[in-house]
């Protein structure tokens, strides 16, 4: 068997060697823009490694860190701080660019200037942000962009997924036009960090959450390269609260919609780029003219998480089919224009953040559901044709490289689904140490019990928990969904080491999402409470059978229910174990904590 697999691999490698990795990408329209003037000449003393390649390749992680180390040694404006380690032990760095004398988190917070945190390489094959950030740091320190630091600070994570970055190959990211070598999407643990924000299983994510809590940036960028369609836009971005849509942080979303989008679009267009202020997601991948989807993401994703914790967050997506040079330059313009905007209007954003943090909405959205078309867009696309594919057996698309506008495409948005009424607090038992750990990791304030406490709380009985994808793990876990919950009022004793989690705090909404089991990205949904799904006590037939006979004799209503169930469900009637179990669950012998969610709600 090992020989067959090896032979197959060798055959594939030999076949692939006959073709270039990007030979089958669609034709690319020509592009030139004013932003090309940002590229340093080869003889420039601080030319970046990517610029040396003509912006067609990207440096290794070690070379990136080495270049940044030299830059930090040459200027007091820029420093580099290790903030964590990857699963394989690589150091993770945040670069601090500021005019302040001290480059600590405390100093930046005390200084009062707005701070932009831009993160590259969470998917390390999508690395445009890294090389754009290096160019901008150079120009902040030694070029014409230094004035941007007069009224704003810049934090920059060059690569979050450093292990994946070093799994580089010319054969990664089959639908992306450069750089020559691209990293891998997931970490060394095969975790997608942009699905890990709530559950925080990866050491990289745990380090990032601590950084967000410590530095409290005013605006957070997560920089990607998009997959999917061909179109004229070279840089797209999205955030919650766009075009007046609902958001967990409505005031911050309104600032992004009112101030950020117009300023950024204008800056990009002036430099020759074509922006779009929503993420392009077709409802039908084989016929995008049926409409595009926009709207909300759950907090497993960066911009959903940022919105929920009242940190204005923008998901940036350059277009994979555009040349690497064009994408990097567009990202540079975006970063520089944002620093300029924060310098001019950062006070308004910080006021919006403070208002969102102070709000205590009586209900918090737990899930989003499909909505109807919210508006139409004249979509700047690329012409295409369809053909009958002998491989797939259906019609496939062939992009032709010619710009074409598709008028009035409907854009579908999402609307709130399930909501949770805000409790005063949650009570988490000491036995759930992993849950308590996650709460504190996110910066949620908890009150630790020094001794046992008996309190009256509402507890939830879980109704029909089921796996989301039976037998198939997702991000190393088995996700669960519920048909509903049934509340019960109980007196519970929480032992020492348990915590009370008040929702009257800036991160109270995040606590609700994490601790309400019906939340789309609750810790229950991510599998932190699997133990409540298991029965651990049983009863033998020779005990329950005569006991059940006495139950029927003593309770005519029970006898009627049993008789009706036998008549209505032949499979049940033919299953002796199911018949005995039906009675067992109605006795005092049964485990009364089966399917009882162990977190209490204080109303």
């Amino acid at each position: 068997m090992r020989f067959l697999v090896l032979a197959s691999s060798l055959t594939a490698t030999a076949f692939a060697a006959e073709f270039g990795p990007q030979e089958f990408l669609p034709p690319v329209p020509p592009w030139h823009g004013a932003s090309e003037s940002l590229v340093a000449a080869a003889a420039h003393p601080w030319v970046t490694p990517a610029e040396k390649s003509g912006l067609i390749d990207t440096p290794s992680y070690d070379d990136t860190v080495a270049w940044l180390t030299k830059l930090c040694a040459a200027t007091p404006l820029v420093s580099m701080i290790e903030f964590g380690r990857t699963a394989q032990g690589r150091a993770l760095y945040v670069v601090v660019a500021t005019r302040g004398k001290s480059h600590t988190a405390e100093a930046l917070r005390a200084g009062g200037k707005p701070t932009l945190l831009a993160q590259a390489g969470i998917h390390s094959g999508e690395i445009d942000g890294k090389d754009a950030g290096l160019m901008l740091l150079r120009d902040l320190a030694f070029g014409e962009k230094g004035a941007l630091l007069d009224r704003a600070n810049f934090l920059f994570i060059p690569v979050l997924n450093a292990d994946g970055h070093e799994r580089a190959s010319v054969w990664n990211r089959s639908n992306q036009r450069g750089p020559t070598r691209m990293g891998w999407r997931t970490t060394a643990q095969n975790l997608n960090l942009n699905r890990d924000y709530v559950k925080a299983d990866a050491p990289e994510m745990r380090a990032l959450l601590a950084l967000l809590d410590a530095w409290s940036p005013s605006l957070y960028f997560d920089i990607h390269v998009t997959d999917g369609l061909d179109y004229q836009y070279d840089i797209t971005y999205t955030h919650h609260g766009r075009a007046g849509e609902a958001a967990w942080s409505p005031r911050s979303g309104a600032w992004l919609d009112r101030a950020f989008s117009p300023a950024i679009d204008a800056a990009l267009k002036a430099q020759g780029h074509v922006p779009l202020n929503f993420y392009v997601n077709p409802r039908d991948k084989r016929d995008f003219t049926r409409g595009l989807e926009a709207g909300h993401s759950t907090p497993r994703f960066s911009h959903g998480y940022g919105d929920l914790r009242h940190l204005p967050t923008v998901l940036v997506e350059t277009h994979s089919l555009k040349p690497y040079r064009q994408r990097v330059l567009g990202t540079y313009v975006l970063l520089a224009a944002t620093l300029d905007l924060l310098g001019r209007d950062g006070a308004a954003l910080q006021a919006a953040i403070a208002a969102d943090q102070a709000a205590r909405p009586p209900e918090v959205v737990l899930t989003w559901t499909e909505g109807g078309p919210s508006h139409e867009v004249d979509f700047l696309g690329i012409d295409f044709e369809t053909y009958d594919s002998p491989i797939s057996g259906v019609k496939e698309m062939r992009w032709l490289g010619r710009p074409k506008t598709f008028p009035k495409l409907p854009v579908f948005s999402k609307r709130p689904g399930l909501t949770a009424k805000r409790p005063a607090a949650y009570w988490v038992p000491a036995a759930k140490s992993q849950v308590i750990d996650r709460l504190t990791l996110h910066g949620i304030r908890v009150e630790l019990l020094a001794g046992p406490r008996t309190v009256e709380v509402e507890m939830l009985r879980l109704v029909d928990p089921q796996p989301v994808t039976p037998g198939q793990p997702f991000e190393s876990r088995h996700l669960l969904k519920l048909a509903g919950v049934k509340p019960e009022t109980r007196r519970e004793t929480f032992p020492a080491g348990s915590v009370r989690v008040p929702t009257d705090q800036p991160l109270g909404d995040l606590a609700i999402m994490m601790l309400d089991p019906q939340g789309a990205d609750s810790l229950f949904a991510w599998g932190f409470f699997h133990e409540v799904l298991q029965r651990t006590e049983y009863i033998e037939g020779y005990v329950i059978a005569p006991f059940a006979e006495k139950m029927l004799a003593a309770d005519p209503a029970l006898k009627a229910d049993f008789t009706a169930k036998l008549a209505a469900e032949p499979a049940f009637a033919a299953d002796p174990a199911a018949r005995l179990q039906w009675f067992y669950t109605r006795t005092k012998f049964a485990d009364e904590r089966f399917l009882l969610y162990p977190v209490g709600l204080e109303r």
Side-chain angles (χ1 to χ4, degrees):
M1 184 68 177
R2 291 182 62 190
F3 172 78
L4 290 175
V5 171
L6 178 60
S8 174
S9 177
L10 288 173
T11 301
T13 302
F15 177 78
E18 300 177 11
F19 303 97
Q22 298 181 357
E23 184 172 332
F24 299 99
L25 294 183
V28 58
W31 175 83
H32 292 288
S35 61
E36 291 180 288
S37 65
L38 299 168
V39 180
H44 192 288
W46 288 103
V47 64
T48 67
E51 288 172 311
K52 283 184 178 180
S53 75
L55 287 180
I56 62 172
D57 204 0
T58 192
S60 70
Y61 190 64
D62 285 347
D63 288 345
T64 300
V65 172
W67 189 91
L68 285 167
T69 301
K70 290 170 62 176
L71 180 72
C72 293
T75 173
L77 296 178
V78 182
S79 62
M80 189 162 61
I81 300 171
E82 180 181 330
F83 71 93
R85 291 267 167 170
T86 69
Q88 291 182 335
R90 290 183 174 88
L92 294 172
Y93 296 101
V94 60
V95 181
V96 184
T98 180
R99 291 203 179 277
K101 293 181 179 180
S102 176
H103 287 210
T104 66
E106 295 80 7
L108 262 64
R109 291 200 309 269
K113 293 180 184 178
T115 296
L116 169 65
L117 169 60
Q119 160 191 295
I122 192 172
H123 296 156
S124 59
E126 306 168 25
I127 206 62
D128 305 14
K130 179 191 74 174
D131 290 316
L134 265 58
M135 293 171 61
L136 178 57
L137 286 168
R138 180 261 320 285
D139 293 342
L140 289 171
F142 302 117
E144 298 178 354
K145 301 297 182 183
L148 294 176
L149 295 179
D150 291 346
R151 294 183 294 177
N153 305 309
F154 183 40
L155 299 179
F156 178 60
I157 300 173
V159 185
L160 183 61
N161 177 13
D163 292 345
H165 187 281
E166 294 309 276
R167 188 181 168 181
S169 170
V170 298
W171 294 101
N172 292 348
R173 300 276 303 166
S174 61
N175 61 334
Q176 183 173 306
R177 184 170 270 114
T180 303
R181 295 165 298 172
M182 293 175 253
W184 196 251
R185 184 178 184 85
T186 52
T187 70
Q189 296 174 307
N190 204 31
L191 292 174
N192 185 335
L193 293 176
N194 202 27
R195 308 293 184 272
D196 197 40
Y197 275 84
V198 172
K199 64 184 177 70
D201 285 336
E204 297 90 343
M205 181 54 62
R206 296 173 72 86
L208 175 65
L209 295 178
L211 184 146
L212 294 177
D213 189 46
W215 291 82
S216 299
S218 311
L219 184 58
Y220 176 33
F221 278 2
D222 182 21
I223 303 174
H224 292 251
V225 181
T226 191
D227 303 319
L229 306 177
D230 200 359
Y231 41 72
Q232 297 172 49
Y233 310 102
D234 57 3
I235 188 162
T236 63
Y237 60 91
T238 193
H239 57 83
H240 284 191
R242 191 189 66 83
E245 293 174 344
W248 286 299
S249 301
R251 298 157 190 86
S252 299
W255 183 89
L256 288 168
D257 196 42
R258 170 191 61 78
F260 176 80
S261 286
I264 297 309
D265 286 356
L268 285 165
K269 290 175 182 178
Q271 292 293 311
H273 297 276
V274 186
L276 179 67
N277 67 344
F278 68 88
Y279 177 73
V280 178
N281 187 29
R283 292 174 66 81
D284 183 341
K285 290 186 177 181
R286 285 192 162 85
D287 184 6
F288 71 89
T289 63
R290 295 181 60 185
L292 306 171
E293 293 182 350
H296 299 79
S297 291
T298 64
R300 72 184 60 173
F301 301 99
S302 59
H303 59 303
Y305 176 77
D307 181 37
L308 185 56
R309 72 168 290 143
H310 311 311
L311 167 58
T313 301
V314 178
L315 174 70
V316 179
E317 297 270 3
T318 61
H319 186 218
S320 62
L321 295 176
K322 300 296 185 291
Y324 190 57
R325 176 185 181 89
Q326 181 179 352
R327 300 188 336 245
V328 169
L329 293 176
T331 307
Y332 179 115
V333 173
L334 172 74
L335 292 171
T338 301
L339 283 173
D340 178 62
L341 174 64
L342 285 179
R344 292 184 285 107
D345 201 40
L349 175 59
Q350 289 175 314
I353 294 170
D356 285 327
Q357 290 177 338
R360 303 292 184 263
E363 293 192 2
V364 173
V365 176
L366 297 177
T367 64
W368 302 96
T369 189
E370 294 298 324
S374 59
H375 62 285
E376 295 179 329
V377 61
D378 291 336
F379 187 72
L380 303 182
I382 296 291
D383 201 4
F384 67 93
E385 63 184 10
T386 59
Y387 67 99
D388 294 318
S389 169
I391 305 302
S392 67
V394 298
K395 286 189 177 296
E396 299 288 353
M397 300 178 72
R398 181 184 288 120
W399 302 103
L400 303 176
R402 300 190 299 263
K404 178 178 178 179
T405 298
F406 296 84
K408 296 185 178 181
L409 290 193
V411 179
F412 292 77
S413 297
K414 293 183 179 179
R415 56 182 176 82
L418 284 175
T419 61
K421 291 184 178 179
R422 188 181 208 90
Y426 292 94
W427 292 76
V428 183
K432 300 306 299 180
S433 57
Q434 281 196 337
V435 172
I436 296 170
D437 169 68
R438 292 307 194 275
L439 294 169
T440 56
L441 176 67
H442 285 277
I444 295 170
R445 179 171 57 85
V446 303
E447 300 168 0
L448 182 66
L449 272 62
R453 186 96 56 89
T454 300
V455 292
E456 183 174 286
V457 291
E458 179 183 288
M459 298 187 75
L460 304 175
R461 188 76 61 173
L462 308 178
V463 178
D464 194 24
Q466 296 290 331
V468 174
T469 51
Q472 179 66 41
F474 177 74
E475 294 301 312
S476 82
R477 290 181 172 270
H478 291 273
L479 274 73
L480 294 171
K481 59 184 177 181
L482 292 170
V485 295
K486 293 181 179 179
E488 304 175 7
T489 300
R490 303 170 63 99
R491 286 190 64 78
E492 287 283 314
T493 299
F494 290 89
S498 302
V499 298
R500 179 180 181 269
V501 187
T503 65
D504 185 10
Q505 59 173 302
L507 296 181
D509 295 354
L510 177 59
I512 293 171
M513 172 62 78
M514 294 176 69
L515 292 176
D516 190 300
Q518 296 186 98
D521 276 328
S522 69
L523 294 182
F524 171 81
W526 278 111
F528 284 76
F529 294 89
H530 277 165
E531 74 280 358
V532 303
L533 310 182
Q534 176 182 327
R535 295 183 188 273
T536 55
E537 289 290 350
Y538 309 92
I539 196 166
E540 303 294 344
Y542 68 85
V543 177
I544 189 61
F547 193 94
E549 292 177 20
K550 291 184 178 293
M551 292 170 66
L552 289 180
D555 190 342
L558 182 68
K559 182 175 182 179
D561 288 347
F562 182 58
T563 302
K565 189 171 181 68
L566 291 175
E569 301 179 25
F572 171 79
D575 187 342
R579 292 168 64 142
L580 295 174
Q581 183 71 20
W582 190 85
F583 284 98
Y584 173 56
T585 59
R586 286 158 175 78
T587 72
K588 292 185 178 180
F589 293 114
D591 179 8
E592 61 92 21
R593 298 191 77 88
F594 176 57
L595 296 183
L596 184 70
Y597 183 58
V599 174
L601 287 79
E602 178 186 325
R603 294 294 186 184

